[in-house]
Every structure is written in structure tokens, then in C-alpha cells.
Amino acid sequence: MESGWTLFSYLKPESVRVHPEATVRPWATCEVIGDALSFASALGYVQRSQIYKRGYAFRRGALIIQMFQQEQVDPKTSLPIPAHTDTLWEVEVKTATQVNTSAPASSGHVQVSTVRAAIDAVLEVQLIMKGLLDLRRQDL
């Protein structure tokens, strides 16, 4: 049986002036069974690098919390090279539910309350993990 892949697509983050306390960026996922690289290539994506993320994923309400270390790829075997013991752990906290920032509400106003609620949920995780993690905004 072939294992599945998850294709993640991240778009450009919104302006820091709009959301100074968290990175707000549209993203989408697509489950792929089979040749994921050919599928992504057919969609117009170009492979720029290859990394493996090894770690843990948790759910907390509408949030997905991923804690992982990045592993490099052995160019000869295309297998992951285990991370060094000094490699930093990275944390991503993102919404697991769809938040539409451009759909007008019945009154004609943009739905900002759902984005605000998602940001507040991320900041709540930051508060809980205070002293253990640095979850400040980081644009990559």
C-alpha cells in the first residue's frame, strides 16, 4: 500500500500593520496518494528544496500545534538525515478550520471576527506556553 502525502501551500503573509501580533497567511492542504512530486509539478509548483519534519502534532480546539525538528535529505539516498541533538525544535500553531477573510457578512462587512478569534486562540497557546516557547510573529 502506498503512503499518502500532504501538499501544503502557503501564500504571502498579510501585512504586519493589519495583524502585528501574529502571522496571518492563507494556506491550503491537499491529500495526495501516489506520485506527489508529479502531482505538484502538474499544478505548476517547482521543487526548491526538500526537508523532513520529524516531531509531534496536537489539536487544541480549532488549532493544530506542530512541534518538530527539520531534517536534511541525503542527496544519494533521498532519505532523511537524523537531526543533530542540538537542533532547535520549531513550533507552528495554525487554525485547522477554514477562516474566510474576504466573504462579506449579511451586513456587507468583511468577516474579521473569525480571524480575530483565530489569532486570540494562537495567543492563548502562547500564554499557556510562556517561558517555554517563543511564538512571536515571524515572516519567512
Side-chain angles (χ1 to χ4, degrees):
M1 182 173 167
E2 286 194 43
S3 62
W5 292 82
T6 303
L7 174 66
F8 289 86
S9 178
Y10 297 94
L11 300 178
K12 183 178 177 185
E14 293 185 16
S15 170
V16 68
R17 285 176 271 155
V18 178
H19 304 289
E21 62 282 337
T23 301
V24 176
R25 143 192 336 237
W27 66 283
T29 62
C30 176
E31 299 296 322
V32 179
I33 302 295
D35 187 354
L37 293 178
S38 293
F39 176 76
S41 178
L43 292 175
Y45 290 95
V46 176
Q47 182 177 346
R48 294 188 183 160
S49 63
Q50 182 177 350
I51 60 165
Y52 285 87
K53 293 181 180 181
R54 186 178 309 272
Y56 308 93
F58 307 93
R59 288 287 303 259
R60 183 171 197 274
L63 296 179
I64 297 174
I65 303 167
Q66 294 178 315
M67 301 172 76
F68 59 89
Q69 290 180 310
Q70 288 191 14
E71 297 180 340
Q72 300 303 316
V73 179
D74 184 327
K76 294 178 184 172
T77 64
S78 294
L79 295 174
I81 301 170
H84 190 271
T85 55
D86 293 345
T87 302
L88 294 176
W89 283 84
E90 298 181 43
V91 177
E92 287 182 358
V93 181
K94 53 190 167 191
T95 58
T97 55
Q98 180 179 359
V99 177
N100 191 344
T101 60
S102 60
S106 57
S107 63
H109 293 97
V110 173
Q111 299 272 0
V112 250
S113 61
T114 54
V115 173
R116 182 76 251 161
I119 291 172
D120 289 343
V122 169
L123 294 177
E124 183 180 346
V125 170
Q126 180 183 16
L127 184 62
I128 291 169
M129 303 297 276
K130 188 174 184 177
L132 299 174
L133 297 174
D134 178 6
L135 295 177
R136 290 178 291 184
R137 178 186 173 101
Q138 181 178 8
D139 292 326
L140 299 175

